[in-house]
Amino acid sequence: MPYDPLTDEQREIRDLVRQLARERIAPRAAEIDETHEFPWDVVELFRDHELFGLYFEEEFGGTGTGALLSLVAIEEVSKVCATSGLILAVQELGSLGVKLAGSQEQKERYLPRLASGEWLCAYALTESGSGSDSAAMRSTARRDGDTYVLNGSKRFITNAGVAQLYTVFAKTDSDAGHAGISAFVVEADAPGFEVARVEPKMGIKGSTTGELVFEECRVPAENLLAEEGEGFKIAMQILDRSRPGVAAQGLGIAQGATDYALEYAKTRETMGKPIAQHQLVAAMLADMETKCEAARGLLYKFGQAVDEGVDGLELTKLSAMTKLYCTDVAMEVTTDAVQVLGGYGYIQEYPLERMMRDAKITQIYEGTNQIQRLVIAREMLKEQRAFLLAGVS
Ligand code: COS
């Protein structure tokens, strides 16, 4: 049995998500990948069953059921379709700015529409010249009366064109480094805002990834989140909480691939017996399962930590470790799953080549896994552990 610390009530919701994934989303997964079309029917399914609400407090129309369950939902959906799992993860990513730094008025204005799924949202930090080095962004925002005027562009933005609300970071003071960055919410119909293009890509093909352009784009001054200059810290605090959503997606893909490869290996025969009974294949399956379960331990630990109110540096490190491990496992396990199926793993008639392509992005977006290692090591360097070894000769 996989690790399952859920309460009975949480388990009921998990089982509903699992059932929807199996019955309604799994049969669509190959088609979503082939057509590259954003799956509005899946959004409708999530709306109908109030699954977007899992990411919001009751006060704003959500279920208030906590972080652990919200990650489990992404994991369950991603087992069958990573594009669909991402829709849930980005509803969290794109709304965290308002949740963490928004005023009561901003929360009341936006969160209920996001909790119901009436609006989708997005997070716009990355630019063509600033990926890992977020502070090197060039987009600007200048105050003009009761508006801010945004200029610049953002790249690789998930949900570009389908989101109605974007959390956008821009420099209000170009000479102040990190402290010159501010955060804004921008509605899709803001004058001067445009989605310039949507990128064709290797995996998660049904999800839109696009370039946003701001040309003298005017947003009301009340759309500033917190104070001018607080944008970089807000961006990092958001990522601390959102990166495990990508980890959940990675774990889901890995577990889905393991389950598929297991069933295949039990029925496919070579040399007079199922391949699962050949030791080299059995060992691969055992490693895949073990990695998934270890990843789940970290992911659920993160969810429980958030639900217990853990914050700050402790959360930063745990978040980075969770994202790093779960998504490296996604790549390793899907690669091995393709290997178990041999030639059948490589062709589109079977879902594993899709899972392997989908897994790759989880090591890249929301901070590459190189950045996660950097964040973990930085936190380690701040820790004092020498006393543990004081008595060792
Ligand atoms: N929470 C709160 N504050 C944080 C923080 C966090 N997780 N991480 C950094 N900060 C603060 C620091 O404390 C520092 O504050 P002071 O200036 O008051 O000391 C400030 O932010 C600058 O921090 P730092 O010097 O560590 O920033 P760096 O420019 O070195 O960047 C990394 C740090 C590399 C970790 C950051 O740029 C990053 O995460 N890059 C990846 C971006 C990413 O994930 N992109 C994908 C976008 S989503 S698809």
Side-chain angles (χ1 to χ4, degrees), residues 93 123 125-126 131-135 156 158 178 232-233 236-237 239-240 243 313 316 364-368 371-372 374-375 378:
L93 170 68
Y123 174 84
L125 177 70
T126 301
S132 291
D133 185 6
S134 310
F156 304 123
T158 304
H178 299 86
F232 188 81
K233 282 187 189 167
M236 293 300 116
Q237 284 164 349
L239 290 172
D240 282 349
R243 283 172 175 158
L313 297 183
T316 301
I364 298 172
Y365 62 12
E366 288 198 39
T368 63
I371 288 291
Q372 306 312 313
L374 192 106
V375 170
R378 278 187 184 184

PDB file of all heavy atoms in Angstrom, residues 93 123 125-126 131-135 156 158 178 232-233 236-237 239-240 243 313 316 364-368 371-372 374-375 378, ligand 1:
ATOM      1  N   LEU A  93      -0.429  28.044  -8.476  1.00  0.00           N
ATOM      2  CA  LEU A  93       0.703  28.933  -8.788  1.00  0.00           C
ATOM      3  C   LEU A  93       0.237  30.362  -9.102  1.00  0.00           C
ATOM      4  O   LEU A  93       0.775  31.337  -8.587  1.00  0.00           O
ATOM      5  CB  LEU A  93       1.479  28.358  -9.988  1.00  0.00           C
ATOM      6  CG  LEU A  93       2.557  29.239 -10.616  1.00  0.00           C
ATOM      7  CD1 LEU A  93       3.728  29.426  -9.669  1.00  0.00           C
ATOM      8  CD2 LEU A  93       3.046  28.624 -11.937  1.00  0.00           C
ATOM      9  N   TYR A 123       1.208  32.736 -13.816  1.00  0.00           N
ATOM     10  CA  TYR A 123       2.295  33.372 -13.056  1.00  0.00           C
ATOM     11  C   TYR A 123       3.352  33.785 -14.063  1.00  0.00           C
ATOM     12  O   TYR A 123       3.871  32.936 -14.799  1.00  0.00           O
ATOM     13  CB  TYR A 123       2.838  32.327 -12.082  1.00  0.00           C
ATOM     14  CG  TYR A 123       4.064  32.666 -11.274  1.00  0.00           C
ATOM     15  CD1 TYR A 123       3.955  33.365 -10.093  1.00  0.00           C
ATOM     16  CD2 TYR A 123       5.322  32.215 -11.670  1.00  0.00           C
ATOM     17  CE1 TYR A 123       5.082  33.629  -9.309  1.00  0.00           C
ATOM     18  CE2 TYR A 123       6.450  32.465 -10.890  1.00  0.00           C
ATOM     19  CZ  TYR A 123       6.312  33.174  -9.710  1.00  0.00           C
ATOM     20  OH  TYR A 123       7.422  33.416  -8.928  1.00  0.00           O
ATOM     21  N   LEU A 125       6.828  35.395 -14.440  1.00  0.00           N
ATOM     22  CA  LEU A 125       8.101  35.846 -13.869  1.00  0.00           C
ATOM     23  C   LEU A 125       9.198  35.829 -14.942  1.00  0.00           C
ATOM     24  O   LEU A 125       9.933  36.785 -15.134  1.00  0.00           O
ATOM     25  CB  LEU A 125       8.487  34.924 -12.701  1.00  0.00           C
ATOM     26  CG  LEU A 125       9.823  35.191 -12.012  1.00  0.00           C
ATOM     27  CD1 LEU A 125       9.774  36.486 -11.214  1.00  0.00           C
ATOM     28  CD2 LEU A 125      10.173  34.036 -11.050  1.00  0.00           C
ATOM     29  N   THR A 126       9.260  34.699 -15.664  1.00  0.00           N
ATOM     30  CA  THR A 126      10.367  34.442 -16.597  1.00  0.00           C
ATOM     31  C   THR A 126      10.339  35.363 -17.810  1.00  0.00           C
ATOM     32  O   THR A 126       9.269  35.687 -18.326  1.00  0.00           O
ATOM     33  CB  THR A 126      10.285  32.968 -17.060  1.00  0.00           C
ATOM     34  OG1 THR A 126      10.380  32.144 -15.911  1.00  0.00           O
ATOM     35  CG2 THR A 126      11.395  32.617 -18.036  1.00  0.00           C
ATOM     36  N   GLY A 131      15.775  33.539 -16.780  1.00  0.00           N
ATOM     37  CA  GLY A 131      15.075  32.321 -16.365  1.00  0.00           C
ATOM     38  C   GLY A 131      15.453  32.002 -14.939  1.00  0.00           C
ATOM     39  O   GLY A 131      14.734  32.326 -13.992  1.00  0.00           O
ATOM     40  N   SER A 132      16.645  31.408 -14.760  1.00  0.00           N
ATOM     41  CA  SER A 132      17.108  31.066 -13.409  1.00  0.00           C
ATOM     42  C   SER A 132      17.429  32.319 -12.604  1.00  0.00           C
ATOM     43  O   SER A 132      17.225  32.366 -11.398  1.00  0.00           O
ATOM     44  CB  SER A 132      18.351  30.179 -13.492  1.00  0.00           C
ATOM     45  OG  SER A 132      17.996  28.915 -14.011  1.00  0.00           O
ATOM     46  N   ASP A 133      17.935  33.359 -13.291  1.00  0.00           N
ATOM     47  CA  ASP A 133      18.291  34.604 -12.592  1.00  0.00           C
ATOM     48  C   ASP A 133      17.118  35.577 -12.691  1.00  0.00           C
ATOM     49  O   ASP A 133      17.133  36.526 -13.472  1.00  0.00           O
ATOM     50  CB  ASP A 133      19.559  35.191 -13.233  1.00  0.00           C
ATOM     51  CG  ASP A 133      20.054  36.420 -12.477  1.00  0.00           C
ATOM     52  OD1 ASP A 133      19.492  36.732 -11.412  1.00  0.00           O
ATOM     53  OD2 ASP A 133      20.999  37.065 -12.970  1.00  0.00           O
ATOM     54  N   SER A 134      16.114  35.328 -11.866  1.00  0.00           N
ATOM     55  CA  SER A 134      14.863  36.094 -11.976  1.00  0.00           C
ATOM     56  C   SER A 134      15.092  37.589 -11.831  1.00  0.00           C
ATOM     57  O   SER A 134      14.413  38.398 -12.470  1.00  0.00           O
ATOM     58  CB  SER A 134      13.879  35.655 -10.890  1.00  0.00           C
ATOM     59  OG  SER A 134      13.755  34.274 -10.866  1.00  0.00           O
ATOM     60  N   ALA A 135      16.041  37.960 -10.974  1.00  0.00           N
ATOM     61  CA  ALA A 135      16.232  39.381 -10.680  1.00  0.00           C
ATOM     62  C   ALA A 135      16.772  40.158 -11.883  1.00  0.00           C
ATOM     63  O   ALA A 135      16.765  41.392 -11.884  1.00  0.00           O
ATOM     64  CB  ALA A 135      17.171  39.541  -9.484  1.00  0.00           C
ATOM     65  N   PHE A 156       7.587  31.699 -21.762  1.00  0.00           N
ATOM     66  CA  PHE A 156       7.340  30.368 -21.170  1.00  0.00           C
ATOM     67  C   PHE A 156       6.256  30.441 -20.104  1.00  0.00           C
ATOM     68  O   PHE A 156       6.394  29.832 -19.030  1.00  0.00           O
ATOM     69  CB  PHE A 156       8.636  29.795 -20.574  1.00  0.00           C
ATOM     70  CG  PHE A 156       9.781  29.711 -21.562  1.00  0.00           C
ATOM     71  CD1 PHE A 156      10.981  30.347 -21.311  1.00  0.00           C
ATOM     72  CD2 PHE A 156       9.634  28.994 -22.735  1.00  0.00           C
ATOM     73  CE1 PHE A 156      12.020  30.288 -22.225  1.00  0.00           C
ATOM     74  CE2 PHE A 156      10.672  28.918 -23.652  1.00  0.00           C
ATOM     75  CZ  PHE A 156      11.873  29.566 -23.395  1.00  0.00           C
ATOM     76  N   THR A 158       2.920  29.439 -18.609  1.00  0.00           N
ATOM     77  CA  THR A 158       1.873  28.414 -18.666  1.00  0.00           C
ATOM     78  C   THR A 158       0.511  29.089 -18.518  1.00  0.00           C
ATOM     79  O   THR A 158       0.340  29.993 -17.699  1.00  0.00           O
ATOM     80  CB  THR A 158       2.070  27.397 -17.530  1.00  0.00           C
ATOM     81  OG1 THR A 158       3.378  26.853 -17.630  1.00  0.00           O
ATOM     82  CG2 THR A 158       1.049  26.257 -17.619  1.00  0.00           C
ATOM     83  N   HIS A 178      17.160  43.428  -6.611  1.00  0.00           N
ATOM     84  CA  HIS A 178      15.999  42.661  -6.131  1.00  0.00           C
ATOM     85  C   HIS A 178      14.921  43.569  -5.551  1.00  0.00           C
ATOM     86  O   HIS A 178      13.731  43.349  -5.731  1.00  0.00           O
ATOM     87  CB  HIS A 178      16.422  41.671  -5.038  1.00  0.00           C
ATOM     88  CG  HIS A 178      17.418  40.655  -5.504  1.00  0.00           C
ATOM     89  ND1 HIS A 178      18.768  40.871  -5.505  1.00  0.00           N
ATOM     90  CD2 HIS A 178      17.238  39.411  -5.989  1.00  0.00           C
ATOM     91  CE1 HIS A 178      19.396  39.809  -5.978  1.00  0.00           C
ATOM     92  NE2 HIS A 178      18.494  38.904  -6.280  1.00  0.00           N
ATOM     93  N   PHE A 232      10.162  40.607  -5.544  1.00  0.00           N
ATOM     94  CA  PHE A 232      11.065  39.453  -5.614  1.00  0.00           C
ATOM     95  C   PHE A 232      10.765  38.467  -4.483  1.00  0.00           C
ATOM     96  O   PHE A 232      10.679  37.255  -4.701  1.00  0.00           O
ATOM     97  CB  PHE A 232      12.540  39.889  -5.570  1.00  0.00           C
ATOM     98  CG  PHE A 232      13.488  38.739  -5.822  1.00  0.00           C
ATOM     99  CD1 PHE A 232      13.751  38.319  -7.113  1.00  0.00           C
ATOM    100  CD2 PHE A 232      14.085  38.062  -4.763  1.00  0.00           C
ATOM    101  CE1 PHE A 232      14.603  37.240  -7.357  1.00  0.00           C
ATOM    102  CE2 PHE A 232      14.944  36.978  -5.004  1.00  0.00           C
ATOM    103  CZ  PHE A 232      15.199  36.580  -6.294  1.00  0.00           C
ATOM    104  N   LYS A 233      10.577  38.999  -3.294  1.00  0.00           N
ATOM    105  CA  LYS A 233      10.291  38.093  -2.166  1.00  0.00           C
ATOM    106  C   LYS A 233       8.954  37.387  -2.354  1.00  0.00           C
ATOM    107  O   LYS A 233       8.816  36.199  -2.037  1.00  0.00           O
ATOM    108  CB  LYS A 233      10.320  38.862  -0.845  1.00  0.00           C
ATOM    109  CG  LYS A 233      11.747  39.112  -0.417  1.00  0.00           C
ATOM    110  CD  LYS A 233      11.894  39.713   0.946  1.00  0.00           C
ATOM    111  CE  LYS A 233      13.360  40.100   1.115  1.00  0.00           C
ATOM    112  NZ  LYS A 233      13.669  40.932   2.220  1.00  0.00           N
ATOM    113  N   MET A 236       9.461  34.522  -4.749  1.00  0.00           N
ATOM    114  CA  MET A 236      10.140  33.376  -4.126  1.00  0.00           C
ATOM    115  C   MET A 236       9.200  32.641  -3.155  1.00  0.00           C
ATOM    116  O   MET A 236       9.189  31.414  -3.089  1.00  0.00           O
ATOM    117  CB  MET A 236      11.396  33.840  -3.370  1.00  0.00           C
ATOM    118  CG  MET A 236      12.499  34.380  -4.256  1.00  0.00           C
ATOM    119  SD  MET A 236      13.096  33.167  -5.456  1.00  0.00           S
ATOM    120  CE  MET A 236      12.653  33.942  -6.993  1.00  0.00           C
ATOM    121  N   GLN A 237       8.408  33.422  -2.403  1.00  0.00           N
ATOM    122  CA  GLN A 237       7.469  32.779  -1.462  1.00  0.00           C
ATOM    123  C   GLN A 237       6.418  31.968  -2.219  1.00  0.00           C
ATOM    124  O   GLN A 237       5.990  30.910  -1.767  1.00  0.00           O
ATOM    125  CB  GLN A 237       6.798  33.842  -0.583  1.00  0.00           C
ATOM    126  CG  GLN A 237       7.743  34.351   0.494  1.00  0.00           C
ATOM    127  CD  GLN A 237       7.270  35.655   1.125  1.00  0.00           C
ATOM    128  OE1 GLN A 237       6.346  36.304   0.653  1.00  0.00           O
ATOM    129  NE2 GLN A 237       7.928  36.048   2.204  1.00  0.00           N
ATOM    130  N   LEU A 239       6.933  30.504  -5.152  1.00  0.00           N
ATOM    131  CA  LEU A 239       7.588  29.291  -5.663  1.00  0.00           C
ATOM    132  C   LEU A 239       7.807  28.267  -4.551  1.00  0.00           C
ATOM    133  O   LEU A 239       7.712  27.061  -4.780  1.00  0.00           O
ATOM    134  CB  LEU A 239       8.910  29.657  -6.349  1.00  0.00           C
ATOM    135  CG  LEU A 239       8.749  30.426  -7.677  1.00  0.00           C
ATOM    136  CD1 LEU A 239      10.100  30.908  -8.187  1.00  0.00           C
ATOM    137  CD2 LEU A 239       8.074  29.561  -8.738  1.00  0.00           C
ATOM    138  N   ASP A 240       8.091  28.744  -3.337  1.00  0.00           N
ATOM    139  CA  ASP A 240       8.253  27.803  -2.217  1.00  0.00           C
ATOM    140  C   ASP A 240       7.001  26.927  -2.063  1.00  0.00           C
ATOM    141  O   ASP A 240       7.084  25.768  -1.700  1.00  0.00           O
ATOM    142  CB  ASP A 240       8.472  28.565  -0.900  1.00  0.00           C
ATOM    143  CG  ASP A 240       9.903  29.084  -0.766  1.00  0.00           C
ATOM    144  OD1 ASP A 240      10.761  28.682  -1.568  1.00  0.00           O
ATOM    145  OD2 ASP A 240      10.141  29.898   0.152  1.00  0.00           O
ATOM    146  N   ARG A 243       6.154  24.947  -6.080  1.00  0.00           N
ATOM    147  CA  ARG A 243       7.028  23.931  -6.687  1.00  0.00           C
ATOM    148  C   ARG A 243       6.584  22.510  -6.336  1.00  0.00           C
ATOM    149  O   ARG A 243       6.656  21.621  -7.188  1.00  0.00           O
ATOM    150  CB  ARG A 243       8.488  24.179  -6.272  1.00  0.00           C
ATOM    151  CG  ARG A 243       9.115  25.329  -7.050  1.00  0.00           C
ATOM    152  CD  ARG A 243      10.474  25.732  -6.542  1.00  0.00           C
ATOM    153  NE  ARG A 243      11.065  26.759  -7.404  1.00  0.00           N
ATOM    154  CZ  ARG A 243      12.015  27.594  -7.020  1.00  0.00           C
ATOM    155  NH1 ARG A 243      12.498  27.544  -5.789  1.00  0.00           N
ATOM    156  NH2 ARG A 243      12.498  28.492  -7.843  1.00  0.00           N
ATOM    157  N   LEU A 313      12.415  29.543   6.069  1.00  0.00           N
ATOM    158  CA  LEU A 313      13.539  28.813   5.479  1.00  0.00           C
ATOM    159  C   LEU A 313      13.326  27.300   5.483  1.00  0.00           C
ATOM    160  O   LEU A 313      13.749  26.591   4.566  1.00  0.00           O
ATOM    161  CB  LEU A 313      14.823  29.143   6.248  1.00  0.00           C
ATOM    162  CG  LEU A 313      15.258  30.615   6.196  1.00  0.00           C
ATOM    163  CD1 LEU A 313      16.580  30.814   6.923  1.00  0.00           C
ATOM    164  CD2 LEU A 313      15.374  31.084   4.741  1.00  0.00           C
ATOM    165  N   THR A 316      11.282  26.527   2.542  1.00  0.00           N
ATOM    166  CA  THR A 316      12.052  26.734   1.301  1.00  0.00           C
ATOM    167  C   THR A 316      12.866  25.483   0.966  1.00  0.00           C
ATOM    168  O   THR A 316      12.844  24.988  -0.154  1.00  0.00           O
ATOM    169  CB  THR A 316      13.017  27.938   1.469  1.00  0.00           C
ATOM    170  OG1 THR A 316      12.245  29.106   1.774  1.00  0.00           O
ATOM    171  CG2 THR A 316      13.825  28.186   0.217  1.00  0.00           C
ATOM    172  N   ILE A 364      12.483  21.063 -15.417  1.00  0.00           N
ATOM    173  CA  ILE A 364      12.899  22.368 -15.928  1.00  0.00           C
ATOM    174  C   ILE A 364      12.077  23.520 -15.346  1.00  0.00           C
ATOM    175  O   ILE A 364      12.619  24.507 -14.865  1.00  0.00           O
ATOM    176  CB  ILE A 364      12.807  22.384 -17.477  1.00  0.00           C
ATOM    177  CG1 ILE A 364      13.752  21.334 -18.080  1.00  0.00           C
ATOM    178  CG2 ILE A 364      13.102  23.772 -18.031  1.00  0.00           C
ATOM    179  CD1 ILE A 364      13.612  21.126 -19.572  1.00  0.00           C
ATOM    180  N   TYR A 365      10.727  23.383 -15.394  1.00  0.00           N
ATOM    181  CA  TYR A 365       9.958  24.586 -15.021  1.00  0.00           C
ATOM    182  C   TYR A 365       9.780  24.758 -13.508  1.00  0.00           C
ATOM    183  O   TYR A 365      10.094  23.870 -12.745  1.00  0.00           O
ATOM    184  CB  TYR A 365       8.662  24.708 -15.812  1.00  0.00           C
ATOM    185  CG  TYR A 365       7.571  23.671 -15.730  1.00  0.00           C
ATOM    186  CD1 TYR A 365       7.519  22.669 -14.786  1.00  0.00           C
ATOM    187  CD2 TYR A 365       6.514  23.743 -16.654  1.00  0.00           C
ATOM    188  CE1 TYR A 365       6.464  21.770 -14.759  1.00  0.00           C
ATOM    189  CE2 TYR A 365       5.460  22.843 -16.628  1.00  0.00           C
ATOM    190  CZ  TYR A 365       5.436  21.863 -15.682  1.00  0.00           C
ATOM    191  OH  TYR A 365       4.408  20.987 -15.650  1.00  0.00           O
ATOM    192  N   GLU A 366       9.340  25.939 -13.154  1.00  0.00           N
ATOM    193  CA  GLU A 366       9.251  26.377 -11.752  1.00  0.00           C
ATOM    194  C   GLU A 366      10.601  26.245 -11.021  1.00  0.00           C
ATOM    195  O   GLU A 366      10.663  25.874  -9.853  1.00  0.00           O
ATOM    196  CB  GLU A 366       8.103  25.690 -11.022  1.00  0.00           C
ATOM    197  CG  GLU A 366       6.776  26.244 -11.529  1.00  0.00           C
ATOM    198  CD  GLU A 366       5.601  25.990 -10.639  1.00  0.00           C
ATOM    199  OE1 GLU A 366       5.744  26.071  -9.420  1.00  0.00           O
ATOM    200  OE2 GLU A 366       4.525  25.706 -11.198  1.00  0.00           O
ATOM    201  N   GLY A 367      11.642  26.532 -11.781  1.00  0.00           N
ATOM    202  CA  GLY A 367      12.994  26.451 -11.228  1.00  0.00           C
ATOM    203  C   GLY A 367      13.620  25.138 -11.643  1.00  0.00           C
ATOM    204  O   GLY A 367      13.149  24.069 -11.258  1.00  0.00           O
ATOM    205  N   THR A 368      14.705  25.216 -12.443  1.00  0.00           N
ATOM    206  CA  THR A 368      15.353  23.976 -12.889  1.00  0.00           C
ATOM    207  C   THR A 368      15.823  23.185 -11.662  1.00  0.00           C
ATOM    208  O   THR A 368      15.985  23.749 -10.564  1.00  0.00           O
ATOM    209  CB  THR A 368      16.601  24.291 -13.739  1.00  0.00           C
ATOM    210  OG1 THR A 368      17.536  24.998 -12.902  1.00  0.00           O
ATOM    211  CG2 THR A 368      16.254  25.124 -14.965  1.00  0.00           C
ATOM    212  N   ILE A 371      18.707  24.707 -10.013  1.00  0.00           N
ATOM    213  CA  ILE A 371      18.358  25.777  -9.050  1.00  0.00           C
ATOM    214  C   ILE A 371      17.887  25.168  -7.727  1.00  0.00           C
ATOM    215  O   ILE A 371      18.222  25.669  -6.644  1.00  0.00           O
ATOM    216  CB  ILE A 371      17.280  26.715  -9.649  1.00  0.00           C
ATOM    217  CG1 ILE A 371      17.893  27.588 -10.745  1.00  0.00           C
ATOM    218  CG2 ILE A 371      16.627  27.592  -8.568  1.00  0.00           C
ATOM    219  CD1 ILE A 371      18.889  28.640 -10.270  1.00  0.00           C
ATOM    220  N   GLN A 372      17.139  24.076  -7.788  1.00  0.00           N
ATOM    221  CA  GLN A 372      16.677  23.457  -6.531  1.00  0.00           C
ATOM    222  C   GLN A 372      17.883  23.003  -5.692  1.00  0.00           C
ATOM    223  O   GLN A 372      17.910  23.188  -4.472  1.00  0.00           O
ATOM    224  CB  GLN A 372      15.763  22.251  -6.791  1.00  0.00           C
ATOM    225  CG  GLN A 372      14.562  22.523  -7.703  1.00  0.00           C
ATOM    226  CD  GLN A 372      13.788  23.764  -7.337  1.00  0.00           C
ATOM    227  OE1 GLN A 372      13.461  23.998  -6.177  1.00  0.00           O
ATOM    228  NE2 GLN A 372      13.480  24.582  -8.326  1.00  0.00           N
ATOM    229  N   LEU A 374      20.811  24.270  -5.760  1.00  0.00           N
ATOM    230  CA  LEU A 374      21.443  25.489  -5.237  1.00  0.00           C
ATOM    231  C   LEU A 374      20.702  25.985  -3.987  1.00  0.00           C
ATOM    232  O   LEU A 374      21.318  26.332  -2.968  1.00  0.00           O
ATOM    233  CB  LEU A 374      21.357  26.543  -6.338  1.00  0.00           C
ATOM    234  CG  LEU A 374      22.153  27.801  -6.217  1.00  0.00           C
ATOM    235  CD1 LEU A 374      23.327  27.693  -7.207  1.00  0.00           C
ATOM    236  CD2 LEU A 374      21.327  29.013  -6.605  1.00  0.00           C
ATOM    237  N   VAL A 375      19.385  25.999  -4.054  1.00  0.00           N
ATOM    238  CA  VAL A 375      18.581  26.479  -2.920  1.00  0.00           C
ATOM    239  C   VAL A 375      18.798  25.567  -1.706  1.00  0.00           C
ATOM    240  O   VAL A 375      19.001  26.046  -0.577  1.00  0.00           O
ATOM    241  CB  VAL A 375      17.078  26.516  -3.308  1.00  0.00           C
ATOM    242  CG1 VAL A 375      16.198  26.760  -2.083  1.00  0.00           C
ATOM    243  CG2 VAL A 375      16.819  27.600  -4.361  1.00  0.00           C
ATOM    244  N   ARG A 378      22.291  26.153  -0.270  1.00  0.00           N
ATOM    245  CA  ARG A 378      22.375  27.433   0.431  1.00  0.00           C
ATOM    246  C   ARG A 378      21.791  27.340   1.836  1.00  0.00           C
ATOM    247  O   ARG A 378      22.345  27.875   2.787  1.00  0.00           O
ATOM    248  CB  ARG A 378      21.575  28.495  -0.320  1.00  0.00           C
ATOM    249  CG  ARG A 378      22.278  29.129  -1.472  1.00  0.00           C
ATOM    250  CD  ARG A 378      21.381  30.264  -1.946  1.00  0.00           C
ATOM    251  NE  ARG A 378      21.904  30.910  -3.123  1.00  0.00           N
ATOM    252  CZ  ARG A 378      21.330  31.983  -3.676  1.00  0.00           C
ATOM    253  NH1 ARG A 378      20.243  32.481  -3.154  1.00  0.00           N
ATOM    254  NH2 ARG A 378      21.842  32.527  -4.745  1.00  0.00           N
TER     255      ARG A 378
HETATM  256  N1  COS B   1      11.480  33.413   0.532  1.00  0.00           N
HETATM  257  C1  COS B   1      11.571  34.702   0.952  1.00  0.00           C
HETATM  258  N2  COS B   1      12.590  35.523   0.589  1.00  0.00           N
HETATM  259  C2  COS B   1      13.538  35.019  -0.206  1.00  0.00           C
HETATM  260  C3  COS B   1      13.501  33.689  -0.677  1.00  0.00           C
HETATM  261  C4  COS B   1      12.425  32.870  -0.259  1.00  0.00           C
HETATM  262  N3  COS B   1      12.317  31.603  -0.667  1.00  0.00           N
HETATM  263  N4  COS B   1      14.572  33.459  -1.465  1.00  0.00           N
HETATM  264  C5  COS B   1      15.270  34.603  -1.479  1.00  0.00           C
HETATM  265  N5  COS B   1      14.633  35.538  -0.723  1.00  0.00           N
HETATM  266  C6  COS B   1      15.095  36.913  -0.435  1.00  0.00           C
HETATM  267  C7  COS B   1      16.470  36.870   0.206  1.00  0.00           C
HETATM  268  O1  COS B   1      16.346  36.713   1.610  1.00  0.00           O
HETATM  269  C8  COS B   1      17.042  38.210  -0.179  1.00  0.00           C
HETATM  270  O2  COS B   1      16.501  39.188   0.689  1.00  0.00           O
HETATM  271  P1  COS B   1      17.389  40.419   1.238  1.00  0.00           P
HETATM  272  O3  COS B   1      17.783  41.186   0.012  1.00  0.00           O
HETATM  273  O4  COS B   1      16.449  41.148   2.142  1.00  0.00           O
HETATM  274  O5  COS B   1      18.571  39.799   1.921  1.00  0.00           O
HETATM  275  C9  COS B   1      16.461  38.432  -1.580  1.00  0.00           C
HETATM  276  O6  COS B   1      15.275  37.634  -1.662  1.00  0.00           O
HETATM  277  C10 COS B   1      17.414  38.045  -2.687  1.00  0.00           C
HETATM  278  O7  COS B   1      17.745  36.678  -2.481  1.00  0.00           O
HETATM  279  P2  COS B   1      18.982  35.972  -3.202  1.00  0.00           P
HETATM  280  O8  COS B   1      20.192  36.851  -3.055  1.00  0.00           O
HETATM  281  O9  COS B   1      19.060  34.595  -2.683  1.00  0.00           O
HETATM  282  O10 COS B   1      18.508  36.000  -4.724  1.00  0.00           O
HETATM  283  P3  COS B   1      19.227  35.443  -6.030  1.00  0.00           P
HETATM  284  O11 COS B   1      19.138  36.473  -7.079  1.00  0.00           O
HETATM  285  O12 COS B   1      20.580  34.876  -5.686  1.00  0.00           O
HETATM  286  O13 COS B   1      18.216  34.300  -6.516  1.00  0.00           O
HETATM  287  C11 COS B   1      17.368  32.095  -6.777  1.00  0.00           C
HETATM  288  C12 COS B   1      17.921  33.194  -5.839  1.00  0.00           C
HETATM  289  C13 COS B   1      18.409  31.609  -7.781  1.00  0.00           C
HETATM  290  C14 COS B   1      17.000  30.970  -5.836  1.00  0.00           C
HETATM  291  C15 COS B   1      16.123  32.628  -7.520  1.00  0.00           C
HETATM  292  O14 COS B   1      16.453  33.593  -8.490  1.00  0.00           O
HETATM  293  C16 COS B   1      15.336  31.532  -8.183  1.00  0.00           C
HETATM  294  O15 COS B   1      14.553  30.833  -7.548  1.00  0.00           O
HETATM  295  N6  COS B   1      15.507  31.363  -9.506  1.00  0.00           N
HETATM  296  C17 COS B   1      14.706  30.428 -10.258  1.00  0.00           C
HETATM  297  C18 COS B   1      13.479  31.107 -10.754  1.00  0.00           C
HETATM  298  C19 COS B   1      12.427  30.155 -11.191  1.00  0.00           C
HETATM  299  O16 COS B   1      12.044  29.259 -10.465  1.00  0.00           O
HETATM  300  N7  COS B   1      11.931  30.381 -12.392  1.00  0.00           N
HETATM  301  C20 COS B   1      10.858  29.621 -12.902  1.00  0.00           C
HETATM  302  C21 COS B   1       9.662  30.515 -12.958  1.00  0.00           C
HETATM  303  S1  COS B   1       8.157  29.702 -12.821  1.00  0.00           S
HETATM  304  S2  COS B   1       7.923  28.758 -14.480  1.00  0.00           S
END
